Every structure is written in C-alpha cells, then in structure tokens.
C-alpha cells in the first residue's frame, strides 16, 4: 500500500506507514527531516519506508532521503484553488511560464491514477484531456461549485470572472458559539492563576 502526506502531517503519516508496513510514501510541500523537532523522529520514520517520493522544487534534507524526486512547478507557475473559510473560494492562476523542466504535482498524480485503471482512471477521465490535467480537474471542481452557488450563466463566463477576481466570495451562515456551562468558572480560575503567577514573577522587579 501507499500513503500521501503534506506539511506538518508527514511525521505522523510516516510513523503510521512504518508500523503498518506501507511500501510507498508521497511527500508534497514539506521538509519534515529538517523542520520537525528531532524528538518526533521524522527522519527515522521516513528512512523506514521502503520507497519515498518527494515532489520538491529544490534539494533539501527530505529529498535527500527520497528514492525518487519529481520536481514540482513553482506556485507562480500553476493552477490551484483553496477555501480560506466558509464562503470564500479562492482561485490561483499561473503568472509566469515554467522556468525549469518541472511538472505540476497534480498532473503527475492524475496521470498515475489513469495508469492504474479501474475506478481511479474513471475518476480522473476529465473528458479525455491530455494537457494541463490539473487545470481541467480544477475547472471540473468549479463546475460543481457553480451549480452549488446557483449561478446559471455559461461556465466559460463564470470561470472567466472567477479568474479575473481571484475567486468568489459568499456570505457564510453564522454559526452560534457554544460555551459549556463550566467554562465561566474555569476561565475565571485560569485568569486568577495567571494573575497570581504574574504577581509573583514581577514582585522582585517591582520591589
């Protein structure tokens, strides 16, 4: 089996992969061998996985442990989207052509899914697209978003406006905060304890 990890979740995933006998680990957007505290054992966990793939833009401590390095596009060179919070759907577009011989991670993973055949290939058929696979995938997601927000315009018009504005923004429904019945006394106790600690810490200075 194989697993994928991104950012701070790499040590946890790598540790689980080691315990569960995972054969392949995909790492994207992280360098846990350098950035995580030594006590988490990220380097040791990574070393225990038989085959590691790093989608890195440059050589670092994590790519040095990888069995295969597939250089990713720079963020300024590729399409992507994100949800910063409820009601905010951001869209990122390339602002420059690729400088080096790289390929977007999304394109690589979609191509891999197609080569696997079966359900993964069907999931990423993307109408038979052969170029800019991840861009086509993002557009597919935004077609679903257009239906979700009830925008009845032709998709090309909806997409062009979203690209120009960097996304779409909607008012998210307010969610009332729920505070437990014991929070009030606990909060007062914590505040009192902090005040006492500050008084004791500052006493030698103020005397």
């Amino acid at each position: 089996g194989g697993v994928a990890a991104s950012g701070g979740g790499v040590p946890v995933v790598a540790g689980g992969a080691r315990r569960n006998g995972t054969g392949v680990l995909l790492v994207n957007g992280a360098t846990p061998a350098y950035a995580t505290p030594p006590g988490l054992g990220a380097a040791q966990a990574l070393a225990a996985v038989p085959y590691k793939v790093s989608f890195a833009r440059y050589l670092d401590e994590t790519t040095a442990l990888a069995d295969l390095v597939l250089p990713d596009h720079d963020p300024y060179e590729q399409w992507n989207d994100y949800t910063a919070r409820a009601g905010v759907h951001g869209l990122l577009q390339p602002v420059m052509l690729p400088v080096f011989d790289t390929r977007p991670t999304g394109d690589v993973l979609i191509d891999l899914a197609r080569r696997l055949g079966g359900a993964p290939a069907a999931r990423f058929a993307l109408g038979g697209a052969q170029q800019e696979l991840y861009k086509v995938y993002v557009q597919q997601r935004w077609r679903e978003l257009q239906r979700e927000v009830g925008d009845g315009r032709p998709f090309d018009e909806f997409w062009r406006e979203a690209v120009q504005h960097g996304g779409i923004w909607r008012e998210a429904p307010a969610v009332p905060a729920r505070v437990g019945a014991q929070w009030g006394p606990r909060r007062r106790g914590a505040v009192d304890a902090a005040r006492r600690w500050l008084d004791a810490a500052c006493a030698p200075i103020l005397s």
Side-chain angles (χ1 to χ4, degrees), residues 8-201:
V10 173
V12 176
V13 172
R18 176 177 55 184
R19 292 189 299 272
N20 299 327
T22 298
V24 179
L25 178 69
L26 309 180
V27 182
N28 180 38
T31 175
Y34 170 79
T36 56
L40 293 179
Q44 294 84 347
L46 287 166
V49 179
Y51 198 79
K52 300 165 287 294
V53 180
S54 174
F55 296 94
R57 303 195 307 277
Y58 44 81
L59 294 175
D60 55 34
E61 290 78 2
T62 301
T63 59
L65 298 174
D67 301 285
L68 176 64
V69 179
L70 299 175
D72 192 9
H73 274 10
D74 187 88
Y76 291 114
E77 301 171 344
Q78 59 184 304
W79 291 91
N80 220 324
D81 62 351
Y82 65 94
T83 301
R85 63 169 176 81
V88 175
H89 302 275
L91 185 59
L92 305 176
Q93 62 175 310
V95 296
M96 60 185 290
L97 293 173
V99 176
F100 303 108
D101 185 16
T102 57
R103 191 180 183 194
T105 298
D107 280 28
V108 175
L109 296 180
I110 291 172
D111 191 16
L112 177 61
R114 288 177 166 183
R115 292 170 184 266
L116 290 174
R123 172 68 179 82
F124 294 102
L126 303 177
Q130 299 299 321
Q131 302 291 330
E132 293 189 301
L133 300 180
Y134 193 68
K135 175 187 177 181
V136 177
Y137 173 69
V138 170
Q139 288 179 319
Q140 185 181 76
R141 287 161 49 95
W142 279 68
R143 290 180 189 275
E144 298 171 1
L145 178 61
Q146 182 185 17
R147 290 192 292 269
E148 179 184 324
V149 300
D151 190 309
R153 293 176 295 170
F155 176 73
D156 288 347
E157 183 179 339
F158 171 79
W159 173 258
R160 184 166 55 251
E161 182 177 293
V163 171
Q164 289 174 348
H165 295 164
I168 61 173
W169 293 263
R170 296 182 296 157
E171 289 296 329
V175 178
R178 295 184 177 181
V179 180
Q182 299 300 318
W183 172 244
R186 289 179 182 176
R187 182 176 182 275
R188 286 194 297 272
V191 171
D192 291 342
R195 184 179 294 114
R196 290 193 297 271
W197 182 88
L198 284 172
D199 288 343

